[in-house]
């Protein structure tokens, strides 16, 4: 447990709202798309027009089950409740959500570090519309008036609530990153925080080291990236510690993270009273997935990031048994996060050098993950083989990989096009012999041990090969001839 | 032009289908009568003459082309003004929805048009269907055609009065705690609440979602069965809509009631008006004569229904009516910020009874009270359904009064909400259980006002219910049902 | 025993329900709702321990819709019904508090 300020411990629980990638909304057949013209994906149901009724989207239920099962939850019979409060972005002035009978309960996430964070629940609910604040610089309190677009109203969400078991900003970030990878792996989410399809709120509290009771928590909202999540938690924890050390008291409230000032501020409006008056939604019926449905969904789940990291680690250990696993853990996390592990594991299975495959995966491929995922394992193996055998240099290999990501063909074709071929071992031998023959004095000094002329001889070979020879191989060729 | 306003729906449909009457003639006849007497009775929030004539012409054109015009061909119908009609103002008799034009039709409206019915107007109701007299309508009460100093009942009072006046042979209402059966009894018409889930609620503006059902008004049991056939059946747009339910109700009427077991609910006879108690006993006797076995049954659990209802219905209503906030449609009274705008709009747009129920519902759902009130009421609901079902182990149908008294005078109960609520005592248990029930005119009671007898059946027991209702109707006293003679009725 | 619905409670509930009430309304609702609650209160005394709560008359489960897009409503038709609209959106007075 990290002490964010000496003598104080941090406790964080995260609530993550994940928009599901269904074709339609949760309770109506309007398109679930991002970025449409305002109020064009609306109907009587998602506008909450009088007389309209909700009908549940089966695909949303299946996605929720996938998420729950991927998070090791129990899928249980569940119902919807109405959460009643007035807000203009909510067409019915109640949100249809799951309350004390959620579809998924009691799961966990294992972070790459090995730390496990419990999942309390992952439930279905509907999203709200979007308000734009006009005048006053677009800020809510200074605005002259607001405009509402209901395209997002009724989009299906799964809210994943962690247990308050996260104890550092780093773990909070690692949790969110891992959760995002899992959500993307299930196919339920695109994981895009910047488009708001993944949104995170943090319940933050602090307590003195040695105490067992949790401190009063504040809910921090409006973090739009992994980085701002970490910063917001750090700020909020420090604020609470300062308050408590000054003899003050933390008030349970919702606070808004402001990215530009790097601080949180209270959202409380004096005249508002919130009492959600939950009751079972009478317009919807129980969701009770059969065990065969649950098992079918479980069976169709692809391997999750944790499993894939283990698989990649095992492949590395087999390919490069002398390497210390801790030296490449970060690369494994990166490769799995970007779903490039299929490429890397495939390459290793086809005989590629593990360290090289992982390095190219975690660097050059990771820079352009969408294109890299489209590469064939065969092409990647071919490239890595050319580099290992010395047919091309490391610099050339990276250049060829870039061309491959641009879709310019197989490694062999790219090498031909770039003129990297013709410096294979036989051709190189001929050139090296020619350089020795042309520079007998320098060769003699080299053989006698003058290392300074080595650079000159290498330069001659490079000039002959237009810089495309593998330096290491040239040195080896000279070495072989020297010891003859 | 012939006057078709005293014909039943069954007779009109047969004549229109057979080419003896045109749908336009029938519609014109209805619209003429409405034009003469609507001013006295105020059955409608809007009379849709143009829509009616266009729909009638469409039926006549279908017949001319040799197509099937549907089982309700040319039959004029009144639609309670809480049913959405595309492009036709739908107000729930509330200022908050005044002028709202729905962009869609309720499922029942679509089905009625397919069946060939002709919609003549949107009938008046207690605001948002909350009330038992139509006195809570923001646009003025409807009058009882039997005696215009008396209420027609509610909340579907406009539909009941329109049928009793002969404006239309059939009408649709909605019944959350008796809002079809009570006005039917008060106006001497048949009124029926189907099994919850038999008729789609899509497009019915919600009062209490777990209790609301749409159902028919008519002058005869056969017409009620005919209308139910046209509107019932599964709808994908209502998640609570039942599948594979019975679809035929007119045909089985011919089977009679020999051998059916009828139980008279004694708990409903202790507080009712003596003439009403006599009517129930006479009806029971008539059923015995027609071949049923009749016995008495005590179901004391039903008497807890009223309290449970006045927790559940306001709770659901408080949530259902939140959306009337001045943002997307209907009334807006401006305010300096959105919360004040909401509060001003709702203060100006809702009448006193609607506010009362929103307050009650909000209170019982609020923190600290949920378990004691709402959850307990839901357990009472289970208790009521179980008690009914135990009785149905011994009986096919149950019999009782529809109301404790005949139609009361205007103003008699408007300032005493609890007294008004008590008029729903015998109708509420069916809504809590989700069971069907029907009120059939049987005799005339106090002050010569009609008295209805109620037939109850278990879930999806509509066929037996209608058969027994028909037997009650066959024994009814002459002159106890609509349509009334308007000139005489109005001058009383 | 009488159930008391105090004017303070009436005001609090009116805030939750977004209803602006006059002082007269507060006073009359306090009296009328107390009478109704007094009647309703009888059910609290019923011993229904072990009786399940019914929220639907029938135990329907798994009523779903296929994930297929269907046309919605015309934006202009809906916005024409709005008390205020601007730039294809619904216009509302300024919002003082953020969503909870």
């Amino acid at each position: 447990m990290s002490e964010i300020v000496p003598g104080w411990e941090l406790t964080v629980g995260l609530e993550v709202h994940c928009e599901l990638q269904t074709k339609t909304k949760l309770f109506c057949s309007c398109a679930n798309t991002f970025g449409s013209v305002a109020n064009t994906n609306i109907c009587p149901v998602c506008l909450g027009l009088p007389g309209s009724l909700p009908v549940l989207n089966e695909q949303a239920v299946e996605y929720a089950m996938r998420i729950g099962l991927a998070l090791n939850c129990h899928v249980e019979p569940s119902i919807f409740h109405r959460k009643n409060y007035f807000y203009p972005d909510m067409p019915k002035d109640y949100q249809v959500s799951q309350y004390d009978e959620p579809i998924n309960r009691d799961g966990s996430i294992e972070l790459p570090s090995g730390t496990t964070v419990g999942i309390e629940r992952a439930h279905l609910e509907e999203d709200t519309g979007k308000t734009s604040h006009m005048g006053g610089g677009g800020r809510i309190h200074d605005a002259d008036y607001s405009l509402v677009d209901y395209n997002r109203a009724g989009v299906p969400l799964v809210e994943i609530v962690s247990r308050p078991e996260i104890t550092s900003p780093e773990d909070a970030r690692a949790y969110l990153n891992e959760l995002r990878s899992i959500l993307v792996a299930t196919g339920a989410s695109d994981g895009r925080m910047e488009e708001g399809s993944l949104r995170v709120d943090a319940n933050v509290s602090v307590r003195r080291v040695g105490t067992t009771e949790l401190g009063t928590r504040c809910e921090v909202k409006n973090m739009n990236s992994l980085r701002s999540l970490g910063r917001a938690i750090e700020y909020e924890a420090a604020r609470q510690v300062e308050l408590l050390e000054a003899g003050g008291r933390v008030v349970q409230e919702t606070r808004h993270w402001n990215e530009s000032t790097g601080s949180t501020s209270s959202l409380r409006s004096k005249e508002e009273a919130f009492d959600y008056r939950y009751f079972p939604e009478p317009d919807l019926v129980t969701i009770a997935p059969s065990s065969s449905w649950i098992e079918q969904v479980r069976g169709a789940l692809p391997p999750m990031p944790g499993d894939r990291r283990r698989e990649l680690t095992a492949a590395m250990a087999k390919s490069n048994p002398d390497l210390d696993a801790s030296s490449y853990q970060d690369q494994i996390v990166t490769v799995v996060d970007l779903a490039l592990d299929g490429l890397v594991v495939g390459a290793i299975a086809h005989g590629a050098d593990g360290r090289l495959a992982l390095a190219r995966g975690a660097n050059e491929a990771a820079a352009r993950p969408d294109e890299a995922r489209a590469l064939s394992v065969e092409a990647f193996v071919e490239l890595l083989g050319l580099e290992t055998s010395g047919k091309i240099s490391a610099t050339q290999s990276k250049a060829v990989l870039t061309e491959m990501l641009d879709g310019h063909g197989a490694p062999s074709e790219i090498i031909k096009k770039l003129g990297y071929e013709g410096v294979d071992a036989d051709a190189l031998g001929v050139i090296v012999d020619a350089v020795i023959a042309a520079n007998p004095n320098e060769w003699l000094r080299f053989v006698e041990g003058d290392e300074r002329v080595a650079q000159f001889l290498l330069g001659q070979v490079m000039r002959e090969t237009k810089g495309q020879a593998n330096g290491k191989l040239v040195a080896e060729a000279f070495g072989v001839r020297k010891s003859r | 032009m012939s006057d078709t306003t005293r014909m039943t729906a069954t007779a009109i449909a047969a004549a229109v289908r057979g080419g003896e009457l045109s749908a336009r003639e029938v519609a014109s006849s209805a619209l003429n009568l409405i034009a003469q007497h609507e001013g006295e009775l105020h059955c409608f929030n809007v009379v849709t003459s143009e829509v009616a004539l266009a729909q009638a012409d469409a039926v006549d054109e279908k017949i001319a082309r040799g197509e099937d015009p549907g089982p309700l061909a040319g039959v004029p119908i009144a639609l309670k003004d809480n049913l959405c009609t595309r492009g036709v103002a739908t107000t729930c008799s509330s200022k908050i929805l005044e002028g709202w034009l729905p962009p869609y039709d309720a499922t029942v409206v679509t089905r009625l048009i397919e069946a060939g019915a002709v919609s003549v107007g949107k009938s008046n109701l207690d605001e948002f269907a909350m009330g038992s007299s139509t006195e809570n309508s923001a646009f003025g009460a409807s009058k009882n055609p039997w005696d215009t100093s008396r209420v027609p009942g509610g909340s579907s009072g406009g539909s009941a009065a329109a049928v009793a006046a002969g404006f239309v042979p059939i009408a649709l209402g909605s019944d959350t705690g008796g809002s079809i059966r009570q006005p039917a009894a008060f106006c001497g018409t048949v009124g029926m609440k189907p099994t919850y889930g038999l008729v789609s609620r899509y497009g019915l503006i919600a009062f209490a979602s777990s209790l609301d059902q749409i159902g028919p008004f008519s002058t005869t049991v056969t017409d009620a069965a005919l209308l139910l056939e046209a509107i019932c059946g599964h709808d994908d747009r209502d998640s609570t809509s039942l599948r594979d339910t019975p679809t035929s109700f007119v045909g089985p009427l011919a089977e009679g009631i020999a051998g059916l077991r009828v139980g008279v609910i004694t708990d409903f006879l202790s507080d009712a008006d003596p003439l009403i108690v006599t009517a129930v006993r006479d009806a029971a006797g008539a059923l015995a004569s027609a071949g049923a076995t009749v016995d008495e049954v005590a179901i004391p659990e039903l008497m807890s229904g009223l309290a449970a209802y006045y927790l559940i219905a306001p709770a659901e209503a408080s949530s259902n009516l939140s959306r009337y906030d001045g943002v997307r449609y209907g009334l807006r009274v401006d305010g300096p910020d959105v919360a004040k705008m909401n509060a001003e709009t709702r203060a100006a747009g809702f009448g006193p009874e609607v506010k009362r129920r929103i307050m009650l519902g909000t209170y019982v759902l609020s923190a600290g009270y949920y378990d004691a009130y709402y959850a307990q009421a839901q357990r009472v609901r289970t208790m009521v359904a179980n008690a009914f079902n135990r009785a149905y182990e011994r009986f096919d149908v149950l019999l009782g009064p529809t109301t404790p008294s005949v139609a009361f005078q205007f103003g008699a109960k408007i300032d005493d909400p609890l007294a008004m609520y008590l008029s729903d005592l015998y109708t509420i248990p069916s809504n809590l259980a989700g069971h069907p029930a029907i009120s059939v005119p049987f005799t005339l009671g106090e002050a010569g006002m009609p008295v209805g007898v109620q037939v109850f059946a278990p879930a999806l027991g509509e066929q037996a219910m209608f058969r027994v209702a028909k037997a009650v109707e066959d024994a009814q006293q002459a002159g106890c049902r609509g349509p009334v003679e308007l000139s005489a009725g109005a001058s009383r | 025993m009488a159930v008391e619905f105090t004017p303070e409670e009436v005001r609090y509930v009116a805030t939750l329900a977004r209803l602006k009430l006059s002082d007269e309304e507060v006073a009359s609702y306090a009296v009328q709702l107390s009478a109704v609650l007094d009647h309703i209160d009888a059910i609290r005394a019923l011993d229904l321990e072990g009786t399940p709560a019914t929220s639907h008359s029938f135990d329907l489960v798994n009523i779903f819709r296929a994930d297929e897009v269907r046309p919605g409503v015309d934006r202009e038709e809906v916005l024409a019904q709005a008390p205020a609209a601007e730039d294809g959106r619904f216009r509302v007075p300024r919002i003082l508090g953020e969503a909870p």
Side-chain angles (χ1 to χ4, degrees), chain B residues 203-218:
Chain B
L204 165 65
I205 299 180
F207 162 15
S209 313
S210 74
L211 303 165
D212 297 340
Q213 264 296 282
I214 298 167
F217 284 95
S218 58

Side-chain angles (χ1 to χ4, degrees), chain A residues 310-322:
Chain A
R310 277 186 281 280
E311 190 193 356
L312 182 48
T313 305
M316 283 297 294
K318 203 169 151 206
S319 168
N320 301 70
D322 301 335

Side-chain angles (χ1 to χ4, degrees), chain B residues 23-47:
Chain B
R24 181 169 260 268
E25 269 180 280
V26 177
S28 303
S29 186
L31 292 171
N32 277 344
L33 187 67
I34 292 168
Q36 285 169 43
H37 294 283
E38 168 64 6
E40 301 147 35
L41 298 176
H42 185 226
C43 298
F44 292 101
N45 286 333
V46 59
V47 176

Side-chain angles (χ1 to χ4, degrees), chain A residues 209-226:
Chain A
V209 171
T211 51
T212 51
E213 204 171 313
L214 288 179
T216 303
R217 66 172 194 269
C218 289
E219 185 176 14
V220 186
K221 288 179 179 284
N222 194 42
M223 289 82 71
N224 298 322
S225 65
L226 285 174

Side-chain angles (χ1 to χ4, degrees), chain B residues 106-183:
Chain B
T107 296
V108 289
V109 172
T110 306
R111 289 186 180 178
L112 283 174
I113 293 169
E114 283 167 5
V118 170
S119 162
V120 300
K122 304 298 291 290
S123 60
N124 193 21
L125 63 150
D126 286 295
E127 184 178 4
F128 282 100
M130 297 177 187
S132 308
S133 66
T134 70
E135 290 168 287
N136 297 327
S137 167
F139 311 127
S142 301
K143 307 282 169 57
N144 192 317
W146 292 78
D147 176 351
T148 53
S149 72
R150 290 174 188 268
V151 303
S155 65
S156 315
S159 284
V163 171
F167 288 175
V168 284
I170 53 173
L172 284 185
S174 66
D175 190 315
T176 306
S179 279
I180 292 174
R181 292 160 287 157
Q182 186 256 21

